[in-house]
Amino acid sequence: GSGTAVITRPKTLTKRPSMYRVLLLNDDYTPQEFVVEVLRIYFNKGADDANRIMLHVHHHGVGECGVFTYEVAETKVTQVMDFARKHQHPLQCIMEKK
Ligand code: TYC
């Protein structure tokens, strides 16, 4: 109030990180079993979930593997693309902001 000195400290503004979807794209050549392996190894999916996601991509052209912060999503994309290239499969993995 009047004549009263009040010392305020600026409240730290916290913000949630932006989240990114990691997607697999369908193609005609990558074996279904390889895609299931990718989902199990890099996205920690169980056999049933991995099969469901692979079939979704196979039938719809694209499907979500998971949602991550930027650096984690980028790491997943790089790991999957390196793994596919190593096995000479044309599998494409991309990320998009939610
Ligand atoms: N369409 C591929 C096939 O018939 C299987 C496949 C599924 C490929 C998902 C890529 O992201 C993919 N062998």
Side-chain angles (χ1 to χ4, degrees), residues 24-33 35 53-55 57-59 61 91-92:
L24 281 176
L25 306 185
N26 189 38
D27 65 74
D28 292 339
Y29 304 105
T30 304
Q32 293 195 347
E33 304 70 38
V35 179
I53 294 166
M54 182 280 295
L55 287 175
V57 176
H58 181 65
H59 289 117
L91 181 65
Q92 295 291 307

Side-chain angles (χ1 to χ4, degrees), residues 26-90:
N26 189 38
D27 65 74
D28 292 339
Y29 304 105
T30 304
Q32 293 195 347
E33 304 70 38
F34 185 83
V35 179
V36 169
E37 203 183 338
V38 163
L39 288 160
R40 301 206 60 173
I41 294 170
Y42 296 104
F43 299 97
N44 304 313
K45 301 297 186 185
D48 289 5
D49 241 33
N51 260 288
R52 218 178 354 260
I53 294 166
M54 182 280 295
L55 287 175
H56 176 95
V57 176
H58 181 65
H59 289 117
H60 295 88
V62 60
E64 182 180 301
C65 308
V67 179
F68 308 97
T69 54
Y70 185 90
E71 286 202 30
V72 174
E74 193 178 57
T75 298
K76 303 273 185 200
V77 168
T78 299
Q79 288 175 331
V80 171
M81 294 300 287
D82 287 353
F83 188 57
R85 186 177 302 109
K86 180 173 103 172
H87 291 270
Q88 301 190 316
H89 295 313

